[in-house]
Amino acid sequence: MEYTFYEMVLLFFTYSFLAWMGETAVATLKEKDFKNRGFVSGPFCFVYGFTGVLMTVFLQDLQTDTIFCFLGV
């Protein structure tokens, strides 16, 4: 499946935002005080966005094989 540029951007920001929510929730529960784990002051963790997009692009061949996709091999 080919992704357009806009779909990749949407995936990037979705992965970044969901990762920010997860990291912030874990850090907030751990410290019992709100901790913003995002980049600068925005609600994004760009490392997760890049990783999600790269995995989406390079692991497309494994999409049909459930076992290899689950194992990440």
Side-chain angles (χ1 to χ4, degrees):
M1 176 179 191
E2 289 290 320
Y3 291 100
T4 65
F5 173 75
Y6 295 109
E7 289 173 331
M8 296 303 256
V9 170
L10 182 63
L11 283 173
F12 173 79
F13 282 111
T14 302
Y15 289 137
S16 297
F17 181 71
L18 291 175
W20 173 81
M21 284 178 42
E23 274 202 32
T24 301
V26 169
T28 299
L29 292 173
K30 190 174 181 181
E31 300 290 327
K32 296 182 177 50
D33 187 30
F34 180 75
K35 299 292 180 192
N36 184 3
R37 303 289 290 192
F39 179 70
V40 187
S41 62
F44 299 105
C45 291
F46 294 128
V47 172
Y48 294 110
F50 283 119
T51 304
V53 169
L54 289 175
M55 288 178 69
T56 300
V57 170
F58 290 114
L59 297 180
Q60 285 183 8
D61 296 337
L62 299 179
Q63 194 170 358
T64 57
D65 196 349
T66 309
I67 294 173
F68 284 118
C69 189
F70 176 74
L71 295 174
V73 189

